[in-house]
């Protein structure tokens, strides 16, 4: 049986997707340099997928390394081929994801996110492995003109992070020889099968509390910050602007539970494995918007924790509302989100509180 290479599989979205794929019977190889994750997540993935020790090696392999190391990536493909477990597809999560950091370190972001992806694609091409699911982002839309945002909305990234994602999207369109941006589904005249998934705001954690978002350093996103205030690690939360044209003046986002997102990856992978060469570009979001204050109130209700906050000025580059149109993901993948904002808060806090316990004892 072939295997699936998961780059960045130890990270937030990658680890949850690995659990879903292992439970569906796939054999996985993870490559991760642990720049934003910890090797300890691998045993949690194996535990959640109920892998017995003796078969773990066959079902789940870990390679510590960088996707920019072409020799290493080539070796991974070669060894898998020699063992009779040829890599048949890649899910490419590995990358840097902080908008703020990308403004400080654009060269690093272009190197990891675009050069890293190009090297990976070169190796895939050499081994005739031409099935790819790529982690893109709603950031490629920049400040959207129309809500909900559908896949034909203009691509207009406004920071280096978003620009690296848009650049990879263009590269993928070139290797499929398709004119991306005009149509979300295009038959490919080459033999590549590619799904570009544009995530909205991934949050929450596995319901077991065994894995979740564990960023190194200061989190970039709202949800881990709320968790850290609840945990007592931070005194309060800054809300950037309460004068946006929204229900309560705070920014509105489309929050998607990471388990729903993981299921979306499985659906995309299976769609590509059974269909003709194509380039699919799909939003993964819930289609529902919640304001920052709504998220905070829901979190307080679910957890019984008070979240102190302070209103700060709007940040440059933020937008009032970002909500996905998830219609095409339903049409092409038969996928839609199943979990609510309450599930997000419940599971996110369950993970965070178990983590505090682990750190203390
Ligand atoms: N989480 C979000 O809000 C969000 C939203 C949209 C898109 N994305 C994209 O989804 C992907 C996964 O995001 P995530 O939230 O799981 O992030 P994450 O940081 O938790 O996971 C990324 C993983 O990739 C690894 N990695 C980074 N650079 C690497 C390299 N050069 N070689 C090998 N491994 C490397 C990190 O150690 C980490 O384990 C990223 O490409 C990100 O840009 C994330």
């Amino acid at each position: 049986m072939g295997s699936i290479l998961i780059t960045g599989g130890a990270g937030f979205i990658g680890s949850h997707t690995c659990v879903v794929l292992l439970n569906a019977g796939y054999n996985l190889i993870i490559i991760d340099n642990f720049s934003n994750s910890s090797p300890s997540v691998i045993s949690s993935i194996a535990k959640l997928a109920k892998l017995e020790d003796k078969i773990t090696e066959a079902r789940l392999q870990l390679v510590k390394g960088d996707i920019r190391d072409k020799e290493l990536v080539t070796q991974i493909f070669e060894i898998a081929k020699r063992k009779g477990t040829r890599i048949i597809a890649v899910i490419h999560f590995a990358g840097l994801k902080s908008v703020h950091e990308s403004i400080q370190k654009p060269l690093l972001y272009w190197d990891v996110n675009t050069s890293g992806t190009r090297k990976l694609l070169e190796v895939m091409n050499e081994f005739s492995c031409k099935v790819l699911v790529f982690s893109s982002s709603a950031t490629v839309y920049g400040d959207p003109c129309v809500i909900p945002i559908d896949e034909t909305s203009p691509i207009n990234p406004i920071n280096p992070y978003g620009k690296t994602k848009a650049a990879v999207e263009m590269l993928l369109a070139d290797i499929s020889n398709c004119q991306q941006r005009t149509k979300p589904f295009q038959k490919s005249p080459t033999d590549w099968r590619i799904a570009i998934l544009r995530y909205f705001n991934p949050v929450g954690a596995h319901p077991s509390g065994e894995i979740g978002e564990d960023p190194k350093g200061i989190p970039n996103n709202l949800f881990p910050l709320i968790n850290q205030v609840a945990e007592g690690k931070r005194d309060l939360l800054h809300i950037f602007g309460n004068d946006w044209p929204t229900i309560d003046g705070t920014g509105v986002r489309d929050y998607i539970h990471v388990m729903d997102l993981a299921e979306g990856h499985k659906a995309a992978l299976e769609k590509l494995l059974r269909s003709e060469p194509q380039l699919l570009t799909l939003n993964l979001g819930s289609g529902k918007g919640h304001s920052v204050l709504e998220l905070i109130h829901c979190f307080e209700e679910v957890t019984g924790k008070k979240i102190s906050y302070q209103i700060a000025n709007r940040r440059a580059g933020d937008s009032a509302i970002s909500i996905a149109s998830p219609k095409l993901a339903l049409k092409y993948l038969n996928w839609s989100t199943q979990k609510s904002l309450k599930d997000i808060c419940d599971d996110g806090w369950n993970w965070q509180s178990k983590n505090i316990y682990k750190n203390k004892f």
Side-chain angles (χ1 to χ4, degrees):
M1 188 187 174
S3 34
I4 314 293
L5 178 65
I6 314 284
T7 75
F12 173 42
I13 306 168
S15 57
H16 292 77
T17 304
C18 284
V19 171
V20 166
L21 292 177
L22 285 166
N23 282 332
Y26 292 96
N27 296 331
L28 307 183
I29 304 171
I30 292 176
I31 175 171
D32 202 301
N33 67 359
F34 303 115
S35 57
N36 197 34
S37 54
S38 150
S40 64
V41 78
I42 305 300
S43 53
S44 299
I45 293 172
K47 183 174 161 189
L48 289 173
K50 299 189 179 65
L51 297 181
E52 294 161 32
D53 285 347
K54 58 182 185 311
I55 61 162
T56 304
E57 167 71 7
R59 303 280 330 275
L60 177 62
Q61 285 175 54
L62 169 68
V63 179
K64 181 174 184 238
D66 199 296
I67 51 156
R68 290 167 294 174
D69 183 346
K70 201 172 162 189
E71 217 170 288
L72 176 69
V73 178
T74 304
Q75 258 179 33
I76 296 173
F77 274 82
E78 239 161 37
I79 292 170
K81 191 173 159 191
R82 224 180 303 135
K83 281 185 176 168
T85 52
R86 196 173 66 84
I87 296 172
I88 54 169
V90 176
I91 305 186
H92 181 30
F93 295 104
L96 302 176
K97 64 169 180 177
S98 158
V99 167
H100 179 71
E101 190 187 42
S102 77
I103 297 166
Q104 317 295 324
K105 301 177 181 169
L107 285 172
L108 177 67
Y109 271 67
W110 279 88
D111 187 37
V112 174
N113 291 1
T114 52
S115 306
T117 303
R118 180 181 50 75
K119 286 180 185 170
L120 172 70
L121 291 169
E122 282 168 5
V123 180
M124 289 177 71
N125 198 41
E126 278 160 30
F127 284 83
S128 296
C129 168
K130 297 191 178 175
V131 178
L132 174 75
V133 179
F134 172 64
S135 299
S136 189
S137 165
T139 321
V140 298
Y141 295 117
D143 196 4
C145 325
V146 179
I147 301 291
I149 306 168
D150 74 26
E151 291 81 349
T152 60
S153 299
I155 301 299
N156 187 23
I158 52 177
N159 51 62
Y161 167 66
K163 287 176 190 171
T164 63
K165 291 291 180 188
V168 171
E169 288 198 7
M170 281 196 270
L171 169 58
L172 296 177
D174 276 349
I175 62 172
S176 348
N177 202 3
C178 291
Q179 281 308 309
Q180 161 245 27
R181 294 181 190 187
T182 46
K183 288 186 197 150
F185 167 79
Q186 294 172 80
K187 276 189 190 172
S188 168
T190 69
D191 43 3
W192 282 88
R193 295 156 204 224
I194 297 175
I196 293 171
L197 304 180
R198 294 179 179 153
Y199 317 151
F200 278 63
N201 288 66
V203 280
H206 192 278
S208 65
E210 189 69 36
I211 53 174
E213 188 166 14
D214 191 13
K216 289 189 176 164
I218 302 168
N220 313 299
N221 301 332
L222 175 66
F223 196 72
L225 288 168
I226 293 179
N227 269 305
Q228 290 192 354
V229 174
E231 178 194 337
K233 208 165 167 179
R234 248 164 231 288
D235 292 340
L236 53 80
L237 183 78
H238 286 107
I239 298 179
F240 298 103
N242 63 350
D243 54 355
W244 296 100
T246 61
I247 180 173
D248 55 25
T250 63
V252 167
R253 295 289 176 270
D254 183 333
Y255 295 101
I256 171 170
H257 195 296
V258 66
M259 291 307 295
D260 279 333
L261 199 50
E263 291 292 342
H265 285 78
K266 174 172 162 277
L269 175 71
E270 292 183 341
K271 165 88 178 168
L272 295 180
L273 288 174
R274 63 169 187 262
S275 11
E276 61 198 329
Q278 59 188 267
L279 176 66
L280 261 183
T281 306
L282 299 173
N283 287 339
L284 292 188
S286 70
K288 297 180 197 100
H290 295 284
S291 74
V292 176
L293 287 178
E294 280 175 337
L295 178 61
I296 290 175
H297 293 150
C298 180
F299 188 91
E300 288 180 332
E301 213 169 283
V302 165
T303 64
K305 296 274 174 186
K306 176 96 191 88
I307 303 301
S308 305
Y309 61 83
Q310 205 170 59
I311 304 295
N313 290 334
R314 290 182 183 189
R315 283 181 308 191
D318 274 353
S319 52
I321 304 178
S322 172
I323 302 173
S325 164
K327 284 185 190 159
L328 288 183
L330 181 62
K331 178 176 169 187
Y332 288 109
L333 304 182
N334 196 23
W335 171 92
S336 61
T337 58
Q338 303 298 313
K339 295 193 179 258
S340 65
L341 195 65
K342 184 178 171 301
D343 296 327
I344 285 170
C345 295
D346 242 337
D347 295 338
W349 177 242
N350 182 36
W351 147 254
Q352 189 73 23
S353 42
K354 283 194 174 160
N355 224 30
I356 309 167
Y357 182 81
K358 269 189 204 162
N359 291 344
K360 279 197 180 144
F361 299 98

